[in-house]
Amino acid sequence: TPDITSLCNDLNSGVNNIAESVRTRKCCPPNIGKKIKPFVFPKEKMVRMRWPAHRGTSEQVDKYRRAIQAMRDLPEDHPHSFNSQAKVHCAYCNGYYTQVASGFPDLDIHIHNSWLFLPFHRWYLYFYERILGKLINDPTFALPCWKWDEPAGMRIPEIFILKDVNGKPNPLYDVYRDAWHIKQVVIDLDYDHIDKGISDEMQITRNLCTMYRDMIRNGGDTISFFGGNYIAGDSPVANNDPSVGSLEAGSHTAVHRWVGDPTLPYDEDMGNFYSAGYDPVFYIHHVNVDRLWKLWKDLGIPGHKDPTNSDWLNASYVFYDENEELVRVYNKDSVDLRKFNYRYIENSEQVFPWRKSRP
Ligand code: C2O
């Protein structure tokens, strides 16, 4: 098995050619020369209940703040540090890894715009959540979920926008965000850099239609929802937009654009792959994407099935786990949520509020 720490090359990336970026363009993980271990499913009995970010109890919010603060307090080169975690996204999205192990050293690995999108981010959050729990010594620690598909969740959750809490800087705050959208404006799940200026009520109705589009109308089968084949030897450029899945291309990308600061050169932080991980809201945005993958299957529509193609099943990534070990994980192990011990807290009257919102 190749060692990703040697595969990752800070000089490789296309990001090195962008000028005036506000975040670092050195994104490879800290190299501590560890062997890559195989993944094992969690054995502990505790269940982590991922909670709605707009309805957290003070205990949930307080634990979450403490965990993120602990992450921010680690030395930069620690694999669990806030910046190391942010760089994971950059490294896998901006061309730091090449397909050298599969015999294509000139081709980048890029986990967006293809069927790698959902499983890669599921694994990323899996380790991120366990690392945060470990930092505050809480094996039940669970991430919040930004439920932007439900009317009550269609604003940036308040816990992220205060600058200070009890006289100390809020660890969930990020300075590089759209100055207007953080004022609790109703999000536009079809946002493309232009504010529509319609009433909240109308925006909410439109958002539900956008969710219907991404989850039902445009996501009727495996490839339309997950995105198209991306296998060893494929160029990420040639394999761009036409193969992006309905949820990734639609509401997921709109949320990134909506939160990023349009006055910065690369819409940092949320508006660009290389910088998105520096905004704590990125992770809870993806918690919802992860939940929507589950809901897509729960809809019970005949075409709503996980991929079974072996190229998909056997694609793998490497992450630092909560014990600072490098672990290799496969798509095939990401599909059965019962094997992980996290769950989603749902509001029983509100599941699938967009289910009947056919535009
Ligand atoms: Cu890896 Cu929402 O992007």
Side-chain angles (χ1 to χ4, degrees):
T1 325
D3 176 356
I4 53 148
T5 54
S6 57
L7 283 182
C8 192
N9 184 346
D10 269 329
L11 298 174
N12 260 353
S13 171
V15 184
N16 285 302
N17 302 324
I18 69 181
E20 301 170 66
S21 61
V22 303
R23 299 295 186 185
T24 178
R25 285 164 277 155
K26 297 210 184 314
C27 300
C28 291
N31 186 352
I32 54 170
K34 295 231 168 162
K35 277 249 154 52
I36 301 175
K37 298 200 163 178
F39 173 72
V40 277
F41 284 102
K43 288 188 198 76
E44 72 265 13
K45 293 276 170 317
M46 294 75 121
V47 175
R48 301 167 186 267
M49 298 300 293
R50 293 186 176 173
W51 44 282
H54 64 283
R55 275 202 301 273
T57 64
S58 53
E59 195 194 341
Q60 286 166 326
V61 173
D62 179 62
K63 276 185 183 174
Y64 176 48
R65 285 216 170 96
R66 277 195 292 121
I68 298 285
Q69 187 61 54
M71 196 173 244
R72 288 190 186 271
D73 291 342
L74 289 171
E76 161 110 28
D77 61 353
H78 191 290
H80 295 168
S81 75
F82 186 82
N83 287 1
S84 293
Q85 288 297 305
K87 288 172 184 179
V88 170
H89 198 253
C90 173
Y92 271 103
C93 310
N94 295 90
Y96 289 78
Y97 294 113
T98 56
Q99 303 178 24
V100 66
S102 332
F104 301 96
D106 299 335
L107 297 177
D108 292 346
I109 291 176
H110 189 114
I111 48 72
H112 294 92
N113 302 316
S114 83
W115 66 5
L116 303 183
F117 171 75
L118 290 169
F120 169 82
H121 291 84
R122 172 165 286 174
W123 283 117
Y124 190 178
L125 296 173
Y126 171 82
F127 292 111
Y128 178 76
E129 180 174 68
R130 298 175 73 83
I131 289 168
L132 288 168
K134 179 129 188 187
L135 285 169
I136 58 164
N137 250 313
D138 180 355
T140 66
F141 175 84
L143 288 168
C145 177
W146 178 8
K147 293 188 171 182
W148 35 258
D149 61 306
E150 287 182 10
M154 289 180 183
R155 291 171 170 85
I156 297 188
E158 216 182 339
I159 56 173
F160 291 88
I161 60 186
L162 307 164
K163 271 197 183 140
D164 297 286
V165 191
N166 301 329
K168 289 196 213 110
N170 177 9
L172 309 181
Y173 178 75
D174 180 26
V175 65
Y176 301 135
R177 290 178 183 149
D178 184 298
W180 168 244
H181 295 160
I182 57 168
K183 293 189 192 299
Q184 296 271 286
V185 178
V186 173
I187 195 168
D188 174 2
L189 293 179
D190 198 28
Y191 184 67
D192 192 10
H193 303 291
I194 295 162
D195 283 302
K196 295 195 172 74
I198 56 179
S199 71
D200 287 0
E201 202 188 343
M202 195 178 284
Q203 186 62 65
I204 290 170
T205 307
R206 286 213 193 176
N207 285 345
L208 294 172
C209 293
T210 301
M211 291 315 301
Y212 181 93
R213 178 196 71 189
D214 294 353
M215 297 290 288
I216 300 177
R217 193 184 67 202
N218 291 356
D221 58 62
T222 308
I223 293 291
S224 345
F225 186 69
F226 277 76
N229 304 26
Y230 173 69
I231 60 176
D234 282 346
S235 149
V237 179
N239 200 6
N240 223 325
D241 290 345
S243 65
V244 59
S246 58
L247 178 62
E248 180 183 2
S251 42
H252 155 264
T253 294
V255 174
H256 275 279
R257 289 186 181 136
W258 200 80
V259 180
D261 183 348
T263 69
L264 292 175
Y266 300 100
D267 292 347
E268 288 93 342
D269 281 318
M270 277 282 277
N272 200 292
F273 293 133
Y274 100 96
S275 53
Y278 289 90
D279 190 335
V281 97
F282 162 78
Y283 304 87
I284 65 145
H285 165 42
H286 270 276
V287 171
N288 202 39
V289 171
D290 189 72
R291 169 179 164 268
L292 288 167
W293 173 8
K294 174 186 184 291
L295 294 187
W296 180 77
K297 289 197 277 184
D298 291 350
L299 282 166
I301 296 171
H304 289 205
K305 297 278 185 305
D306 291 321
T308 50
N309 181 305
S310 63
D311 287 317
W312 187 83
L313 296 171
N314 295 318
S316 70
Y317 324 93
V318 175
F319 289 94
Y320 272 106
D321 72 3
E322 69 275 19
N323 303 314
E324 294 171 55
E325 306 276 13
L326 283 171
V327 177
R328 179 175 298 279
V329 293
Y330 290 86
N331 283 350
K332 60 175 176 247
D333 287 329
S334 73
V335 294
D336 187 355
L337 277 190
R338 290 166 308 182
K339 293 190 180 162
F340 297 101
N341 49 1
Y342 70 84
R343 301 287 178 266
Y344 287 104
I345 299 180
E346 297 295 353
N347 168 356
S348 47
E349 315 101 71
Q350 273 276 310
V351 201
F352 316 136
W354 32 261
R355 184 173 202 159
K356 303 235 159 63
S357 301
R358 169 177 279 167

